[in-house]
Each structure stands twice: as structure tokens, then as C-alpha cells.
């Protein structure tokens, strides 16, 4: 694979980042430096970590960054649950995100397994 942009995991992370970017434009102004900033950072971190891991020369480094991407993905979900609890988003919006979350989570986990296989770490 020549570029991180070829990775399906990164493409899904990009889709999530763009979804969040559009969604937070509707958040209340008083959340700009609280929830909005946090969710934008965590959603961007997913793809950033996948890209950085792809640029590493060792499988174990790449795996470590994939694990961080998975953490950022889960953090993004948690921020959206906070937004739901604060009545900033609807149940439907959260369900739509959860479908994208599940897809991205499966892709990241699959990519981690692939990298472990390449390194010879699979049980």
C-alpha cells in the first residue's frame, strides 16, 4: 500500500471526521470551547493516528498508533453521548453515528489483526 489514503480504515475515519465537522456547526455557541473543541479533536485524531502509524517502519509502531486511533474513535462516541445527554443532538443522530463508529471499529480491529499477522504476533 503506497499511501495511508488507500487504507479503508483511514477512509472511514475521514468520513467520521467530516460527519463530526458538519454536526458541530449546529452545537450551541457556549459549547465552542468545551464539547465542540473536544469532539473535533478526538474525531481528527482517529485518521491522524492511522496516518502516522502507516508512516512508521515497524509493524509494532503501526499497531500502537492503530490502538490510539481506536481510543480516539471511542472517545468521539463518548462525546456524542454527552451531546445527547445535554440534548444537543437527537437519538437518531447518535444512532447514525454509532453505525459509522461500528464500521470504523471493525476496520481498525481488522487492520490491527492484519498487522499482527504480518509481524507474526497472531495467536
Amino acid at each position: 500500500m503506497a499511501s495511508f489514503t488507500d487504507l479503508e480504515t483511514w477512509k472511514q475515519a475521514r468520513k467520521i471526521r467530516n460527519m463530526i465537522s458538519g454536526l458541530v456547526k449546529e452545537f450551541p455557541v457556549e459549547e465552542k470551547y468545551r464539547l465542540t473543541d473536544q469532539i473535533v479533536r478526538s474525531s481528527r485524531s482517529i485518521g491522524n493516528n492511522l496516518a502516522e502509524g502507516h508512516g512508521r517502519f515497524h509493524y509494532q509502531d503501526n499497531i500502537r498508533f492503530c490502538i490510539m486511533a481506536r481510543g480516539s474513535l471511542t472517545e468521539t462516541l463518548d462525546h456524542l453521548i454527552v451531546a445527547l445527554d445535554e440534548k444537543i443532538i437527537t437519538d437518531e443522530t447518535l444512532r447514525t453515528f454509532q453505525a459509522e463508529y461500528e464500521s470504523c471499529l471493525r476496520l481498525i480491529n481488522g487492520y490491527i489483526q492484519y498487522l499482527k499477522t504480518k509481524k507474526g504476533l497472531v495467536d
Side-chain angles (χ1 to χ4, degrees), residues 2 15 17 32 34 38 45 54 56-57 60 69 80 83 89-90 92-93 98-99 105 110 113-114:
K15 184 176 180 182
R17 183 190 70 224
K32 182 175 183 178
R34 295 184 296 193
Q38 290 292 318
S45 183
H54 188 269
R56 299 295 172 135
F57 292 110
Q60 192 59 46
L80 279 179
I89 64 169
T90 65
E92 182 180 337
T93 300
Q98 283 176 314
L105 183 62
Q113 285 307 112
Y114 166 78

Side-chain angles (χ1 to χ4, degrees), residues 1-11 14 17 47-55 111:
M1 208 154 296
S3 173
F4 67 88
T5 60
D6 295 328
L7 294 171
E8 290 303 316
T9 51
W10 182 85
K11 291 175 186 177
R14 181 181 182 194
R17 183 190 70 224
N48 295 154
N49 279 302
L50 292 169
E52 187 166 354
H54 188 269
Y111 188 44

Side-chain angles (χ1 to χ4, degrees), residues 45-69:
S45 183
I46 304 163
N48 295 154
N49 279 302
L50 292 169
E52 187 166 354
H54 188 269
R56 299 295 172 135
F57 292 110
H58 302 285
Y59 290 118
Q60 192 59 46
D61 280 346
N62 196 346
I63 292 167
R64 187 169 52 90
F65 278 96
C66 288
I67 291 169
M68 287 189 281

